[in-house]
Amino acid sequence: MLTRILSFIVALLSVISLNPLSEYDYSDKLGDADYIGFKEYYADYFDIGAAVAGYHCQIPETSEFLLKNYSSLTAENAFKQAALNPQDGVWNFGEADVIADFCRNNGLNLRGHCLIWGGLGSWMTRDGEGNLVSRDVLLQRMQEYISTVVNRYKDIVHVWDVVNEPFGFDLKGGAFKSNDFYAVLGEEYVTKSFEFAHEADPDAVLCLNETKVLKNKKKQDYLFGYLEKWLEEGIPIHAVGIQSHWNLWEINESPRMLQKVIDKLYSLNVDIQITECDITMNAVGGDVLEEYSDNTVLLQSKKYSKMFEVLRKNADKISSVTFWGVNDNRIYKTDDGQTYYEHALLFDENSMPKNAFYAVCDF
Ligand code: GLA
């Protein structure tokens, strides 16, 4: 119900706005197998990337599709600590190596995602009895982990998401999300991670990757405030990743807010990367959309188009735009286990360009 009401309001606003929805209708282009690759349109702007798993690089049709459309890849999970080093002394480089080799062999850029993500939990923070380890032990483990991973991939990974999602959302919860790393080290878990990564590869671009940056004003205050402080202290933070898991109905995820965030980050002299772009269709509040209607197709196309207009205008400040996934064949789950699709990307479940793809490439 909520979805329908929101859909109606947004559609109504679109009809009375300067850009009627029909302007975003590219249905005459759909189905063209000889379309021009996404990265070609954006060659003069920024890298276009996708988050992948190892198997995407091994299946001939998928790898061809990746090479046609993207100039950069990110591992969706294979570079996370839970995959690389799930337990003390256990290392699994297999899938990460597949992706790294695919990039090496095909001249693609590879974003390293992500070195430290407190929210995910890690063996590093606890001892054999389950108690938090001391500051020294944790710092030593972090340094060893970061240096091992960065050194293994430094020939191909030139940008690292060093810390993922450190900041919280609301006043009551404080600036940082609570997790074991924060419990032991406080804000130093962020700054030390950057120092260790910089030690391991002084040439790498080091990125702080954050979620819901447009949506939440409080998050912006925390992010901008600490960034300013850390940069003044000389912490080697070179870039900020705006994840950009947008939602079709979220009004704060707007071109105006995107421009505001870009301006602020630019004034702090950091590179900007859009690291996890998608536009989901669910209503705020978790209502699952039953149909992927013509109307939502056009609304999504319009939102993508407006966002990309801003990104192109700021191409001198933005080095890459990465989509979170390869195509729409991504299964989501509700809390009670129902599965559904979000249709959040620019390519459909058969990897064919969607209406939104043509909207983003029409400039
Ligand atoms: C965050 C992380 C990603 C991924 C998504 C969920 O955005 O940074 O690695 O886990 O959540 O899809």
Side-chain angles (χ1 to χ4, degrees), residues 75-77 80 113-114 117 164-165 209 211 243 245 276 324 330:
E76 188 171 343
N77 291 308
K80 290 174 181 163
H113 171 85
C114 48
W117 185 2
N164 202 29
E165 303 183 353
N209 195 38
T211 186
Q243 286 190 5
H245 291 294
E276 304 187 20
W324 204 248
R330 293 173 70 78

Side-chain angles (χ1 to χ4, degrees), residues 277-281 300 304 328 332 342-346 354:
C277 186
D278 53 19
I279 302 184
T280 51
M281 300 287 200
Q300 186 193 44
Y304 261 128
D328 274 355
Y332 292 72
E342 280 283 9
H343 311 281
L345 298 169
L346 297 185
K354 288 164 56 180

Side-chain angles (χ1 to χ4, degrees), residues 170-191:
D170 65 290
L171 251 184
K172 280 181 240 142
F176 292 90
K177 277 194 185 134
S178 69
N179 61 54
D180 279 2
F181 287 88
Y182 185 71
V184 177
L185 297 171
E187 69 178 85
E188 248 191 334
Y189 100 82
V190 180
T191 55

Side-chain angles (χ1 to χ4, degrees), residues 113-144:
H113 171 85
C114 48
L115 291 171
I116 299 290
W117 185 2
L120 218 53
S122 160
W123 63 266
M124 294 197 290
T125 58
R126 301 267 165 175
D127 65 18
E129 270 85 57
N131 301 312
L132 288 174
V133 294
S134 69
R135 178 178 186 279
D136 287 353
V137 168
L138 183 53
L139 285 176
Q140 196 228 328
R141 288 175 172 181
M142 285 166 63
Q143 182 169 31
E144 222 172 282

Side-chain angles (χ1 to χ4, degrees), residues 40 52 126 219 231 267 280 328 333:
E40 308 298 339
V52 298
R126 301 267 165 175
K219 173 71 74 82
L231 290 168
S267 77
T280 51
D328 274 355
K333 270 195 181 158

